[in-house]
Amino acid sequence: MKLFKKLLTGIACCAVPALIFSQDFSNKGKEFWIAYSYHVGMQTPPAPTMTLYITSDVNTNYNVEIFGSTTLQSGTISAGQVVSVIVPTAYMLTAGGLYTGKTIRVTTDKNSVVYAYITRSAVSGATVCLPTPVLGKEYYSLNFTQVSNEPNSNSYITVVAVEDNTTVEITPTANTTNGWAAGSTNSITLNKGQIFQVLGTAGNTSGVDLTGSIVRSVASGSSGCKRIAVFSGSGKISIGCNNPGTSDNLYQQLYPTGSWGLKYLTVPSYNRPTNFYRIIRKNLSTNVYVNGALIPSASFVNGVYYQFSNSNPNEIHASEPISVAQYFTTQGCSGNGQPYDPDMIVLNPVEQNISNVTLVSSNLVAAQPQHHLHAIMRNGGTGISSFKLDGAPVSAASWVTHPGDPTYSYLYLPNVSQGYHTLSSDSGFNALAYGYAQAESYGYSAGANVKDLYQFVSIINQYATVNFPATCKNTPFYFRIVFPYQPTQIQWVFGPTLNAMGLSDVIISNPVSDSNWVVNGRQVYRYSLPLQYSINTIGTYPIKVIANNPTADGCGGVQEIDYDLQVFNPPAANFSFTTTGCVTSPVNFIDQSNTGGRAITQWNWNFGDAGTSSIQNPSHTYSAPGSYTATLSVITDVG
C-alpha cells in the first residue's frame, strides 16, 4: 500500500489514459519439455517439420536444446517478439518404445510461452506447451476413432520424464504395438529427458483408439511420484466420414487430472460448425451434463469417455472435474465444407482463463488458407468493452450471448492474418487459435491459468488477491501450502539468494495442519509457517518444498514441489485534480498512480474534510472555502 497527499490549491490537470493489466497465467514458464511425437509422414517422404514458437511479454534470453546433447538455437527475445525454431527431423519419434537423446527442452530467463507445430505437406497439428511447474503425475489420453487414408496411422501416447528415476504406469484401453493388452497395467522407469511412446495397433488404414488410457507417475522405493509431460493424438486420422477421404495428424499436450475443471463452454469452429466432442471422467460416479441434460452412465465408452457432435455452442458441467476435447472433421464430412480437415484441441474450463496472450496463426502450406480466433468471456464489468485484438478495440456488438450460459458471451475473430496476434482485456477469457486450408488444419488453446485444485502454495498477506505465489517488496507475508494428504515432514528450501536475505530453510517434523476441507470429494490439508517474512529486493526466487507422503496412494514417499516466488515493487500513489476554484463546484480527482504493471484493487481517498471515497476517479464538493489536504492510498493485487 502506498500513500500520497496533496494540498488542494486549484491547480488544473489533464485526464490520464487507461491502463491494461495482464494476468499471470500458468502456461507461462521458464522450462518446457517437448516431444516430436508420432506422425505418419515419418514413414514416407516428404518428412514432417516441427517448428517451435517462443514469445514473452518481457525481454528474456532463451535456449532450445536436445536435452543432454545439442543446442539447436539460443538468443534474446524482446518483449512482444516471437521467435521460431526449426527442430530437425532426426528427433522425430518414428515408432513405439524407449527414446534417449530426442527430448526438446526450452529454457528462458523470464516467463515465456511456447507453441509447437508439426506439419508435413498438408498434414499438420499444433499445441500449446506446458511449463514444468504445471506438469502433473496423472493423465488420461485423448485420441479418436482411428481411420485414415494412409497406412501406419496409429493412435499414440508420448511420455517425457523431467526427473531421474521416474516410474510410470501405463494402462492402455486397447492393444499396443509393443504387445501390451487392453486393460493391462505396465510399468516403465525413465531418467530425466527420456521418452516412452505407446502406439495403438493399426492395420492398413484403421487402428485402435487409445482414448481413456491412463498414464501415472508412481512411487518407486523411497522416491515419490514425479512430474511427467504427456502428449497424445494420432499419426493421421479422418473424422466425421465413413469414407476416410483426406486425413490429418492430431498433436496435443495433455493437462494433468489435478487441473481438470467442472465447467466448459464450447464454440463451433468458424464457418465449419459441426464439431465432435469427447468428455473424459475419472470416476463412474461423476455426473456429467451437456446443455443441462444428464448423460446416462451407460453412454460412457468403457465407463470413461462420452462422445457427441453438433453445430451449436455447448455448456458442459460435471459433479467432479472432467477433461473435454473438441475435434474438427475431415473436409466435406458431417456437413462441413472445404477447406477443412481433422484436428483435436484440449479445452480449458471457464475458470482457467487468461487476460493477455500473444499467439501464432501458423503457416499453412496448402491452398485457400484461413486463420481464425474465437474467445469466450463472462459478461459484466468492463471485460468485453476492454477486449482488444493487436491493440485495437473490438466492438462490443460483435459478442454473442452463449446459449448454454447467458452470463457468458463468445466472439469470432475470423480471417486474421498469418503470423502473431495479441489478445488482451482487463478480465479473463478463454480463446482458441485455429486455421484450415485445402485438406489441412491446426488448432490449439491460446493459453490457460492452469490451477492444481489439490496441491498448491499460497502467499498470504493482508491485501493480496492473486492466485499465484507473489508479494510486494518489504510487505510482511506468510508461506502456506496445501496437500491432498497429511505429510509426516515438510521441508522449505528457500535457496542461497533468499538464505542470504535472512530466510533460513525450515524443517517441520510431524506437522499439524491449521485447516482442512474437501475439494471434489477429496480431503485437503493446509500447513502454514508460523514466522512472518519480508523480502527487500524485487525479483523471482525459486523455492522448493519437500514433503514426506505416508499414504498408499501410489505416490507415497518423498514429494518435491518447485515454484517461483515473485516479488514486485510497491505502487507509487499519485493523483491530480481539476477544479474551478469555486466552493459550489465539485473537485474532480484523477488517479495517476504508478503500479509497475500490477492491477490496483483498492483506492482509498480522504478529501481532508471527513469525506472519503473508494472509486478510482471520484468527484467531491467541499462545503466551505479553505485549503484541504487530500490523501490517496492504493493497494495492488499482490498486496
Side-chain angles (χ1 to χ4, degrees), residues 33 152-153 162 167 423 482:
W33 299 83
N152 303 309
S153 301
V162 303
T167 301
L423 302 178
V482 172

Side-chain angles (χ1 to χ4, degrees), residues 82-342:
V82 180
V83 300
S84 59
V85 182
I86 302 296
V87 180
T89 55
Y91 302 108
M92 297 184 296
L93 309 179
T94 57
L98 178 67
Y99 290 88
T100 300
K102 298 276 190 178
T103 296
I104 305 144
R105 181 173 178 248
V106 179
T107 54
T108 59
D109 294 343
K110 304 291 178 60
N111 280 343
S112 302
V113 173
V114 178
Y115 304 103
Y117 181 46
I118 300 176
T119 185
R120 173 248 198 172
S121 183
V123 183
S124 58
T127 185
V128 61
C129 300
L130 303 179
T132 301
V134 174
L135 302 180
K137 301 160 186 175
E138 182 182 57
Y139 299 81
Y140 279 65
S141 182
L142 283 159
N143 308 84
F144 206 78
T145 305
Q146 186 57 52
V147 59
S148 178
N149 65 349
E150 191 169 345
N152 303 309
S153 301
N154 314 59
S155 288
Y156 70 82
I157 305 166
T158 311
V159 184
V160 183
V162 303
E163 299 179 66
D164 284 335
N165 299 314
T166 299
T167 301
V168 180
E169 287 185 350
I170 301 174
T171 306
T173 54
N175 296 340
T176 70
T177 58
N178 62 345
W180 293 349
S184 65
T185 298
N186 309 273
S187 180
I188 57 174
T189 299
L190 304 175
N191 284 323
K192 188 174 184 176
Q194 286 188 315
I195 297 174
F196 194 89
Q197 184 161 262
V198 178
L199 297 185
T201 57
N204 186 27
T205 57
S206 64
V208 300
D209 179 356
L210 291 175
T211 297
S213 299
I214 304 171
V215 181
R216 285 196 184 102
S217 170
V218 298
S220 177
S222 61
S223 177
C225 300
K226 298 179 179 180
R227 290 189 178 102
I228 51 176
V230 181
F231 299 78
S232 70
S234 170
K236 199 178 186 188
I237 199 168
S238 178
I239 295 176
C241 278
N242 293 325
N243 181 349
T246 69
S247 300
D248 216 340
N249 67 310
L250 306 181
Y251 173 59
Q252 285 280 288
Q253 184 164 6
L254 300 176
Y255 293 92
T257 58
S259 68
W260 290 2
L262 295 173
K263 179 173 179 174
Y264 297 76
L265 294 176
T266 75
V267 175
S269 51
Y270 179 75
N271 205 30
R272 304 287 186 268
T274 300
N275 296 146
F276 284 77
Y277 301 89
R278 284 191 173 183
I279 303 168
I280 298 277
R281 65 178 185 180
K282 286 182 60 176
N283 302 316
L284 295 175
S285 59
T286 301
N287 291 323
V288 177
Y289 301 82
V290 176
N291 299 322
L294 175 65
I295 304 304
S297 188
S299 298
F300 282 78
V301 178
N302 299 323
V304 176
Y305 76 87
Y306 172 70
Q307 176 181 310
F308 70 98
S309 66
N310 61 28
S311 57
N312 309 314
N314 298 291
E315 187 269 345
I316 301 168
H317 72 273
S319 59
E320 297 176 290
I322 55 175
S323 180
V324 178
Q326 181 171 348
Y327 299 82
F328 298 168
T329 70
T330 297
Q331 65 180 27
C333 297
S334 300
N336 289 326
Q338 300 180 8
Y340 204 52
D341 231 12

Side-chain angles (χ1 to χ4, degrees), residues 6-15 575-590 618-622 624-628 630:
K6 187 173 284 189
L7 181 68
L8 273 64
T9 57
I11 300 173
C13 184
C14 58
F575 68 86
S576 61
F577 59 90
T578 60
T579 177
T580 65
C582 296
V583 71
T584 56
S585 299
V587 179
N588 298 311
F589 292 88
I590 302 134
S619 294
H620 182 70
T621 301
Y622 289 87
S627 294
Y628 299 90

Side-chain angles (χ1 to χ4, degrees), residues 325-521:
Q326 181 171 348
Y327 299 82
F328 298 168
T329 70
T330 297
Q331 65 180 27
C333 297
S334 300
N336 289 326
Q338 300 180 8
Y340 204 52
D341 231 12
D343 217 317
M344 173 178 76
I345 306 174
V346 181
L347 302 182
N348 300 113
V350 293
E351 59 266 39
Q352 292 183 3
N353 50 56
I354 55 177
S355 61
N356 189 299
V357 66
T358 298
L359 52 86
V360 181
S361 292
S362 302
N363 183 38
L364 291 166
V365 300
Q368 306 176 54
Q370 300 179 17
H371 303 278
H372 310 297
L373 311 172
H374 71 236
I376 304 169
M377 185 184 290
R378 184 183 288 275
N379 302 323
T382 56
I384 287 176
S385 62
S386 66
F387 190 87
K388 295 182 179 182
L389 168 64
D390 298 331
V394 175
S395 171
S398 302
W399 293 81
V400 178
T401 300
H402 197 288
D405 185 341
T407 64
Y408 285 81
S409 293
Y410 65 91
L411 165 75
Y412 284 114
L413 297 167
N415 299 307
V416 297
S417 60
Q418 187 275 322
Y420 316 124
H421 299 285
T422 298
L423 302 178
S424 63
S425 174
D426 66 7
S427 303
F429 56 85
N430 296 100
L432 299 186
Y434 51 95
Y436 10 98
Q438 186 65 31
E440 183 180 10
S441 67
Y442 71 89
Y444 59 88
S445 165
N449 180 19
V450 184
K451 306 169 188 175
D452 189 325
L453 303 175
Y454 310 105
Q455 181 169 281
F456 53 89
V457 172
S458 58
I459 302 301
I460 304 301
N461 64 43
Q462 185 175 358
Y463 300 108
T465 60
V466 295
N467 58 7
F468 62 96
T471 188
C472 236
K473 184 177 74 173
N474 295 322
T475 297
F477 67 91
Y478 292 92
F479 285 106
R480 290 177 174 174
I481 188 166
V482 172
F483 294 104
Y485 55 85
Q486 294 176 283
T488 57
Q489 184 183 82
I490 303 174
Q491 181 179 359
W492 293 80
V493 181
F494 295 119
T497 303
L498 290 180
N499 290 162
M501 296 182 190
L503 279 72
S504 300
D505 296 348
V506 178
I507 298 178
I508 302 175
S509 298
N510 301 314
V512 178
S513 64
D514 55 53
S515 63
N516 65 85
W517 60 94
V518 175
V519 178
N520 301 320

